[in-house]
Amino acid sequence: MSGGTDLLRVAELFGPTLQGEGPSTGRHAVFVRLSGCNLSCSWCDTPYTWDWSRFDRSAESQVMPAEDVGAWVAGIPAELVVITGGEPLLQHRPLGVLLARLTASGRRVEIETNGTVPPPRAFPAEIVYNVSPKLGSSGVPRARRLRPAALRDFRDTGRAVFKFVVADEQDLAELCALERDCDLSPVWVMPEGITRDDVLAGLSFLADHAVARGWNLACRLHTLLWGDTRGR
C-alpha cells in the first residue's frame, strides 16, 4: 500500500464512454470521479460524492493510492482522461501524483472544477481545466461559490474554458457580469437538467442568448443519450 500522501478518495471509475460537456463533447474518454465537495448545489447531479446526509460515505467512496488509479486508467483505451467530482482540486496533493503519471503516458487530461480552488502551480503544464463556476440557481451563497481571484488564476493559465450551468434569466445576468468583471474566455453555457426533456428545453432557452453573446453552447450529451444513468 502506498503512503498516505498519495491516497485519493474515489467515488467511481468508469469508461470508456463519451465526454458529455464542454469543448471535448463526444470524445472517447475515461472518467475518474473523486469524492468530496466544498459546495452543495441544489441541482447537483452527483450528490453521492458529497451529501452524506442522504448517501453512505463508506458505500459511495473508497480510498485508493494514486498509482492504483493510474494503473486502472492505463487499462482503458481512451486518449482523454476526465478528472471530475465532487471538487477534485480539494485533493490536489495526491491528484498531482496521478496527473504526473497520466501526462507522462501521453494522455490528454481535463480537470472539471467549480473554480473555487486555484490551479496548483505544481500540476503538469499540459492539464486542461473545465472551470464551472456556480451561479445563483445553485442555491449556494455567492461568497462560497464565486472566488474571482481563483477564476483569474485559471484564466491566466491559458488552458481553461469556463462552463456555466444556466437555469434562468437571473443566471444569465450574473454570468454576463462575471464574464466582464473577470475577463473570462472562452465561455460555454449549458442547461440544468437530468432528463432529456429538461435538457432540450434548456438548450432552446439558451441558444439565441449564446449566439447573441458569442458564447458556445454545450448539450449535456450524456444526459441526452443515457438519462441520469451513473457510470455513463
Side-chain angles (χ1 to χ4, degrees):
M1 190 74 164
S2 300
T5 58
D6 67 351
L7 296 178
L8 287 165
R9 185 163 289 278
V10 178
E12 54 189 353
L13 306 172
F14 61 95
T17 184
L18 303 174
Q19 168 64 301
E21 300 177 358
S24 295
T25 294
R27 288 191 64 169
H28 197 237
V30 59
F31 276 71
V32 174
R33 186 182 302 284
L34 300 183
S35 187
C37 192
N38 58 344
L39 300 181
S40 53
C41 299
S42 60
W43 40 245
C44 178
D45 58 358
T46 58
Y48 53 87
T49 65
W50 59 268
D51 189 350
W52 310 130
S53 68
R54 289 193 288 158
F55 296 90
D56 181 353
R57 181 173 182 173
S58 64
E60 295 290 354
S61 67
Q62 60 179 315
V63 175
M64 298 179 63
E67 286 293 333
D68 289 0
V69 177
W72 181 86
V73 171
I76 306 298
E79 179 186 357
L80 173 62
V81 183
V82 181
I83 312 292
T84 187
E87 174 45 58
L89 294 186
L90 295 177
Q91 302 187 58
H92 62 91
R93 288 187 177 85
L95 181 55
V97 176
L98 174 61
L99 296 176
R101 172 170 180 161
L102 295 176
T103 54
S105 70
R107 302 285 185 113
R108 173 182 171 87
V109 181
E110 297 180 358
I111 295 178
E112 299 188 341
T113 172
N114 61 32
T116 61
V117 181
R121 295 184 179 181
F123 277 10
E126 301 92 339
I127 300 301
V128 174
Y129 295 101
N130 293 326
V131 186
S132 185
K134 307 311 175 190
L135 300 172
S137 64
S138 67
V140 179
R142 182 181 176 90
R144 283 182 56 207
R145 59 183 168 83
L146 292 179
R147 305 287 174 82
L151 294 179
R152 294 185 183 100
D153 285 345
F154 281 109
R155 177 201 64 196
D156 291 346
T157 68
R159 293 174 283 109
V161 299
F162 297 89
K163 177 168 58 72
F164 294 85
V165 173
V166 176
D168 51 35
E169 296 285 352
Q170 289 74 29
D171 279 354
L172 282 171
E174 186 174 29
L175 168 52
C176 288
L178 193 63
E179 177 189 27
R180 179 192 65 241
D181 295 344
C182 294
D183 192 23
L184 303 181
S185 179
V187 168
W188 290 71
V189 291
M190 66 181 186
E192 185 274 326
I194 57 175
T195 69
R196 295 179 182 92
D197 287 348
D198 286 345
V199 170
L200 290 172
L203 288 170
S204 295
F205 165 66
L206 288 172
D208 288 341
H209 293 289
V211 171
R213 293 171 170 81
W215 297 335
N216 304 290
L217 182 63
C219 68
R220 298 181 69 88
L221 178 64
H222 54 297
T223 304
L224 294 177
L225 294 175
W226 299 300
D228 194 29
T229 304
R230 285 176 61 167
R232 299 305 303 265

